[in-house]
Amino acid sequence: MRQRVAWGALTAVAGTAAAVVVALPLGAAGDDRQDGEPGVSASSPAPGALGTPGAGGPGTAPLPTGRTGTGGDPLTADEERRAEQLALAGDRSLRTESEGVRGRAGVPQLVSTDLADSSVSAGDDRIAEVYFYDYATDTLVLKSVDLVDNEVVDTVESTGSQPPPAAAEAEAAADLLVDSPVGAGLRQDYEAATGEELTGARQLQVQGMTYTARPGDSGGLERCGEHRCVRLFTRVEDGPWIDTRDYVIDLSERKVHHA
């Protein structure tokens, strides 16, 4: 059964970029893993690729009508896709004015989709909770979707709420770190481990955790929590972990900070 999203700030031990073996809770960023390993390729499909149910035209797609769970069973893949499409279908502002982690306009970042706690306890109800993050406004948007009646029954928007990042967000953060002058140590350690140049996150296995400002943080870190910030755990493919815990990536401003 899928684990519920665990919210809260990560307090991690700072380190330097060096090839080390580190112990960390796999799956801490949600269900973003592939073949039992954390990896950027396991991200959920971007909302922009889901399509919006409608009367034809670009971006439209029929609602999936496949497998459906019962009671407190985890959402099926078909239910997840249907919930995500319905969540966007009736919210024109979210579909057109939001921004994703890569800066693409009109594509809110899909963070997670899961069965609501109320459905787990209610029996026959199938209410899905779909979380999007709008980087244009640093707003977390929760859509509660009734999968029996195929309608959105509640919308809650909040600021300062930071669930664990989706794999797509961890990948974007890793790309920022790789491209940053601050990421020189990561690039050097990767080349030492593989003999190859590190040019992007796709060459790594990456896991992300949210970072929230701590007392005394400055230089931009004090805005983490208001901004969406992550700390990364990176690994050479089938190789050693490279310690990048000393860096915090502000995805809202697309900046890398040395913590």
Side-chain angles (χ1 to χ4, degrees):
M1 177 176 286
R2 296 181 57 181
Q3 293 182 344
R4 299 287 301 165
V5 174
W7 290 41
L10 164 70
T11 301
V13 179
T16 57
V20 295
V21 176
V22 295
L24 64 147
L26 297 181
D31 292 318
D32 302 322
R33 54 175 78 183
Q34 182 177 23
D35 297 329
E37 296 288 349
V40 296
S41 59
S43 58
S44 300
L50 296 173
T52 302
T60 65
L63 286 173
T65 57
R67 294 185 57 197
T68 300
T70 58
D73 292 342
L75 296 176
T76 66
D78 289 324
E79 285 181 311
E80 288 184 7
R81 288 193 295 271
R82 179 151 50 97
E84 291 155 7
Q85 291 180 6
L86 287 166
L88 287 174
D91 194 329
R92 186 177 185 280
S93 176
L94 189 63
R95 293 199 317 271
T96 60
E97 300 174 10
S98 62
E99 187 175 296
V101 68
R102 299 280 185 175
R104 183 180 173 188
V107 184
Q109 180 60 52
L110 176 64
V111 176
S112 67
T113 305
D114 215 332
L115 189 69
D117 287 335
S118 59
S119 290
V120 175
S121 60
D124 293 333
D125 290 343
R126 298 291 285 176
I127 305 296
E129 293 181 333
V130 185
Y131 286 91
F132 297 102
Y133 197 86
D134 179 6
Y135 279 88
T137 59
D138 274 308
T139 301
L140 183 69
V141 181
L142 164 62
K143 296 281 187 178
S144 297
V145 181
D146 186 328
L147 293 170
V148 176
D149 294 332
N150 287 327
E151 63 179 4
V152 175
V153 294
D154 194 21
T155 299
V156 177
E157 298 184 0
S158 60
T159 56
S161 299
Q162 299 294 344
E169 293 175 295
E171 179 183 356
D175 275 331
L176 287 171
L177 179 57
V178 169
D179 292 340
S180 169
V182 179
L186 170 62
R187 296 191 298 271
Q188 292 167 4
D189 289 339
Y190 182 88
E191 186 170 358
T194 67
E196 300 177 357
E197 180 183 3
L198 177 63
T199 59
R202 288 289 179 179
Q203 295 168 263
L204 298 166
Q205 290 179 301
V206 179
Q207 189 169 41
M209 290 186 175
T210 50
Y211 181 89
T212 301
R214 300 172 297 185
D217 276 347
S218 61
L221 288 174
E222 71 278 4
R223 301 195 69 182
C224 290
E226 173 191 351
H227 285 181
R228 189 140 173 80
C229 299
V230 301
R231 180 169 266 164
L232 295 174
F233 297 92
T234 58
R235 182 183 181 184
V236 174
E237 187 77 27
D238 298 322
W241 293 91
I242 299 177
D243 192 350
T244 54
R245 293 173 293 171
D246 208 22
Y247 306 107
V248 173
I249 297 89
D250 184 332
L251 290 172
S252 299
E253 288 198 342
R254 302 184 62 80
K255 291 184 178 180
V256 179
H257 299 283
H258 195 283

